Amino acid sequence: MSAMKEFTKGLWKENPVLVLLLGMCPTLGVTSSATNGLGMGIATMFVLLGSNVVVSSIRNIVPKKIRIPVYIVIIATFVTMIDLAMQAYAPASLYNALGIFIPLIVVNCVVLGRAEAFASKNGVGKSIIDALGMGLGFTLALVALGGVREFLGSGSLFQIKLIPAWQIDFMLPTSAPGAFIILGLFLAGMNALNIRKARKEGKNYKAASMDCSTCNICDVGEEK
Amino acid sequence: MSEETPTIQLPDPAKLVVSNSPHMRDKPTINKIMFTVVAAMTPALIVAVLFFGLAALEVLVLCTLSCVLAEEGWNKFMKRPSSWKDGSAILTGLLLGMNLNAGAPWWICILGGFLAIILGKQLYGGLGYNPFNPVLVARVGLLIGFPGLMTTWDKPQLGVMGIDGVTAATPLGLAPGETFIKDMVLGNVGGCLGETSVLALLIGGAILIAFKLIKWEVPLMFIGTVFAITGIAHLVNPEVYHSPFVHVFSGGLMLGAFFMATDMVTSPMTHKGAWIFGFGCGLITSLIRLWGSYPEGVSFAILFMNALVPLIDRSTIRKPFGFTAPAKGEA
Amino acid sequence: MSEKKINIPMLGTFLGVIAAIAAGLLSGVQAMTAPQIEANKKAAISLAMDQVLPAYDNDPSTEFQTFTCGRGWDVTFYAARKDGKIVGYAGKVDNTDDGFSGTVSLMVGLLPDGTVGSIGSGDVANSAVIVTAQTETPGLGTALTDRKQQKTIVDLIQGSEAVTGLVPNKYLDWYAGRKAGDNVWGIVKDGDAINGKTGATITSRAVCEAVYAVSRTAVDNLETLSKGAE
């Protein structure tokens, strides 16, 4: 795969949120506004970048038996750093809104998934590209989801009211049930677009494969 | 990641896709059924308009129009044949109107209509495929969406008819477990259009049962269970819990038990199933009313039990209903 | 897996080394960010005080007294002085237990006599009630607690300045000028004392009780308060 392909796969074809359905907890939890989605996305992208670089650079010296604990320590370190940094320098309102979801990046499947499936098998350069692509894909998906939810909820975007006459907030899109409904619509839209594209090219649409036989995230097939 | 292996195969729309039960049977009579239900609702509709005046009429008309519009709009969008003439969208609209406050702003009615038809019905594939009662999907969506607007009720203007709807609904507006400090009686809590007259709803329910459009077990078990559970709670602690009569005659119980829970598509097909379904609705309604954070639980209870209907049907069904053998893999 | 034998001490040491490096890095970051975080927390408290207190020149966060009110809540008063004279108190009550879905914390600006301050009345330019923490139903209960500035696209295009000071909230501003014992407090139609929101009765009452508790405690302990905490 070329570097460009490596980068863009995270944006659409293997988008961590909309295709791989990884990291659903922050996706559903914090995307009540576009700002929250952006903050969460960027924080995750930094963690992803840091963990991918470190995991990739020590991939040859980490004993296989303890690689998962090592990755978790690395990821947790970066998450704590981001947490402290945000507490110190990010706007208080953003930090409060993201709250518990920042420490929870540790268990975000996107981060561990990329460390295990990609960074541990590829060089530092490629891992950086992968982290940036995946991180950007994650961020874009979260901003899109947050933006749609915020707009449907109160007619505003990034806390700026686009429709001044919209006075009473519609709480459904910004509540938890709304998160599921809007995410479902996103997935449906994504499938519809892909199906239409495939049909134009005269092919049958095949969703990205996600079962255990083809996935290499947890090395099930490798262990002897 | 290998790109060649197909793992998720979307259903081919060209083939016949058999969804989970319940299935809408004998299609030719949908129209007749729908208009009979509308006729059964007429007493309650008339009472609603008498009580709340033109505002009620406006809500009902807007809801019906928006439902029909949403149905036709979706049909156009999905390139499906027009379907509003089967009456189901009209019925959905009328029922939705019955579930709203007379003073509901016009945009609530429009939004509700679209929520009911698109989110509640069409996204699942249209009439007969929806697992949840579309009207209640819209009502709950609006309730979560506009908690302030959806829990403010207009006061009926025409005195009391049938069984008192105003004072009966007031206690439910208070949080369960609260004693009645005079502080709490702020604003007069009425009810939504279809809730106020128990008598009119009973007449409608009788018509539905007489025409065998609904299973009488559902409302009987529903109301009976609520009466029994709230009765026990009231006996144990009359200071805290309202009398079972208040519970049975107030809120949306009658409307829910006769018109919502009994929806053909989303209620069990078997009689045994209807008993279980009605009991479950009553149980959850009572639990929410007595201990939940919402004063009213009918909508939530019915939606929850709707989700269990396939399970109830599967475990109570005795023989296949003339379907061909289930597809392979189905137990 | 190439190695058949598992070298546990080696694995343990490796993991230990990684953890040690991580710990070292974290302590560095912690040391770097700690002063800023501390400053942020202080700034948040003093911002709240600035909002409810009239102009002062002392450091109220160092001069406080705590009383237990009739409801059993601890009410802390921070004295604001100008030229050594007390110009007002910031009464803080945390985690009152009767909100709709949790606790309510708020800060109330009081005049020296225990009256709730008002917005824009001479000396007490900013005095008012702000809710510092709550978990009420968004859109319903929060209508009674939030002072949120809403920026619209129109403001952005016209480039109008953001409102400085507190954003008005008619439910919170209602308390301005009220004093425990002198005025009618309540959320019911009690004379002219109507301050509640239909559908959010419990939140209305929770806020009212908390503000009342602050004013009541201040009035009851005025003498002790005016002596100041030394």
Side-chain angles (χ1 to χ4, degrees), chain B residues 1-325:
Chain B
M1 298 271 162
S2 130
E3 289 142 40
E4 266 68 54
T5 337
T7 46
I8 294 181
Q9 203 64 58
L10 292 168
D12 182 355
K15 288 178 191 155
L16 175 69
V17 181
V18 180
S19 74
N20 274 339
S21 61
H23 302 275
M24 192 70 180
R25 287 155 295 143
D26 43 25
K27 253 208 156 128
T29 61
I30 287 182
N31 214 316
K32 217 166 118 195
I33 292 173
M34 293 301 169
F35 285 108
T36 317
V37 179
V38 171
M41 276 169 60
T42 313
L45 288 173
I46 292 171
V47 172
V49 175
L50 280 179
F51 268 129
F52 297 102
L54 284 178
L57 203 60
E58 188 196 330
V59 167
L60 289 167
V61 169
L62 275 174
C63 286
T64 312
L65 275 181
S66 68
C67 278
V68 172
L69 270 177
E71 175 114 344
E72 282 315 287
W74 182 264
N75 284 337
K76 278 257 150 52
F77 177 65
M78 296 300 283
K79 302 190 179 71
R80 289 205 186 121
S82 153
S83 61
W84 73 274
K85 281 186 186 141
D86 69 14
S88 70
I90 295 173
L91 178 63
T92 305
L94 284 176
L95 276 170
L96 177 66
M98 300 275 275
N99 270 294
L100 294 176
N101 173 32
W106 59 270
W107 44 268
I108 284 252
C109 307
I110 308 279
L111 182 64
F114 277 76
L115 278 179
I117 296 296
I118 310 262
L119 191 65
K121 192 168 81 174
Q122 298 294 10
L123 275 184
Y124 294 101
L127 182 66
Y129 295 106
N130 48 311
F132 300 105
N133 188 320
V135 179
L136 290 177
V137 168
R139 181 186 162 139
V140 166
L142 291 174
L143 181 66
I144 296 172
F146 302 99
L149 277 173
M150 290 295 288
T151 48
T152 323
W153 308 113
D154 273 18
K155 203 174 157 187
Q157 298 294 318
L158 229 186
V160 183
M161 188 164 168
I163 293 144
D164 192 333
V166 195
T167 45
T170 315
L172 278 185
L174 307 174
E178 291 281 349
T179 44
F180 303 141
I181 314 169
K182 60 175 176 171
D183 298 14
M184 306 210 50
V185 193
L186 178 82
N188 251 321
V189 185
C192 55
L193 291 184
E195 286 178 357
T196 30
S197 174
V198 173
L199 192 67
L201 288 170
L202 281 174
I203 295 174
I207 296 176
L208 289 178
I209 293 174
F211 278 87
K212 291 209 166 82
L213 285 178
I214 64 173
K215 293 187 178 62
W216 55 271
E217 293 95 334
V218 174
L220 180 76
M221 274 308 280
F222 195 161
I223 297 168
T225 310
V226 170
F227 187 85
I229 296 179
T230 55
I232 293 169
H234 181 70
L235 282 181
V236 172
N237 196 345
E239 297 274 305
V240 176
Y241 303 114
H242 309 303
S243 123
F245 292 100
V246 174
H247 276 288
V248 167
F249 291 129
S250 68
L253 182 58
M254 287 287 167
L255 182 65
F258 284 107
F259 288 95
M260 304 290 176
T262 52
D263 174 23
M264 289 187 143
V265 180
T266 58
S267 64
M269 287 185 289
T270 61
H271 287 272
K272 215 162 132 198
W275 286 101
I276 303 173
F277 181 79
F279 173 74
C281 288
L283 180 71
I284 298 170
T285 302
S286 312
L287 292 181
I288 295 177
R289 279 190 179 183
L290 293 176
W291 296 294
S293 60
Y294 281 92
E296 177 61 298
V298 171
S299 325
F300 293 104
I302 299 174
L303 280 182
F304 189 83
M305 290 310 288
N306 280 165
L308 293 184
V309 162
L311 203 65
I312 296 173
D313 270 340
R314 184 180 290 189
S315 52
T316 55
I317 216 153
R318 276 172 304 182
K319 57 175 185 186
F321 267 37
F323 290 127
T324 47

Side-chain angles (χ1 to χ4, degrees), chain A residues 58 61-66 69-70 73-74 77 80-81 84-85 87-89 159-162 164 171 223, chain C residues 1 6 10-11 14-15 18-19 22 25-26 29-30 32-33 36-37 40-41 138-139 150-154 156:
Chain A
I58 63 167
I61 56 167
V62 179
K64 207 141 200 198
K65 282 277 172 209
I66 55 162
V70 169
V73 171
I74 292 166
T77 310
T80 315
M81 281 181 190
L84 288 171
Q87 214 172 328
Y89 306 111
Q159 265 84 53
I160 293 164
K161 204 133 197 131
L162 299 182
M171 314 293 299
E223 214 79 51
Chain C
M1 295 295 292
I6 304 164
M10 194 280 277
L11 295 182
F14 190 90
L15 202 55
I18 294 279
L25 272 172
L26 280 184
V29 174
Q30 161 98 43
M32 257 167 56
T33 53
Q36 183 66 39
I37 292 172
N40 285 354
K41 275 183 188 159
Q150 186 73 62
K151 222 195 270 171
T152 70
I153 190 85
V154 180
L156 211 67

Side-chain angles (χ1 to χ4, degrees), chain A residues 6-150:
Chain A
E6 208 70 82
F7 179 71
T8 52
K9 74 172 192 287
L11 299 186
W12 184 265
K13 215 166 78 191
E14 286 183 34
N15 187 296
V17 175
L18 299 177
V19 177
L20 303 181
L21 296 184
L22 292 174
M24 284 296 105
C25 170
T27 301
L28 296 168
V30 302
T31 55
S32 55
S33 75
T35 319
N36 288 359
L38 186 65
M40 189 68 205
I42 290 174
T44 309
M45 186 147 93
F46 273 113
V47 173
L48 198 51
L49 193 60
S51 77
N52 255 19
V53 167
V54 175
V55 166
S56 160
S57 49
I58 63 167
R59 69 185 189 280
N60 292 326
I61 56 167
V62 179
K64 207 141 200 198
K65 282 277 172 209
I66 55 162
R67 65 186 195 288
I68 297 291
V70 169
Y71 298 162
I72 292 287
V73 171
I74 292 166
I75 294 165
T77 310
F78 279 106
V79 170
T80 315
M81 281 181 190
I82 295 286
D83 189 28
L84 288 171
M86 285 189 77
Q87 214 172 328
Y89 306 111
S93 56
L94 179 65
Y95 182 75
N96 289 337
L98 298 182
I100 184 68
F101 289 102
I102 294 287
L104 279 181
I105 298 176
V106 177
V107 288
N108 190 327
C109 309
V110 178
V111 184
L112 185 63
R114 290 333 283 174
E116 174 69 7
F118 196 91
S120 66
K121 297 181 178 66
N122 290 286
V124 178
K126 265 186 153 183
S127 297
I128 291 177
I129 295 173
D130 177 74
L132 287 176
M134 281 288 164
L136 203 61
F138 189 73
T139 310
L140 286 178
L142 257 58
V143 171
L145 206 56
V148 168
R149 287 178 65 190
E150 187 183 349

Side-chain angles (χ1 to χ4, degrees), chain C residues 14 17 24 32 45 55 57 76 99 108 117 136 140 169 187-188 192-193 199 203 206-207 223 225 228-229:
Chain C
F14 190 90
V17 169
M32 257 167 56
I45 296 175
D57 54 12
T76 306
V108 182
E136 301 309 297
L140 191 54
N169 174 317
I187 58 161
V188 222
D192 64 335
T203 309
V207 172
E223 217 167 299
L225 268 178

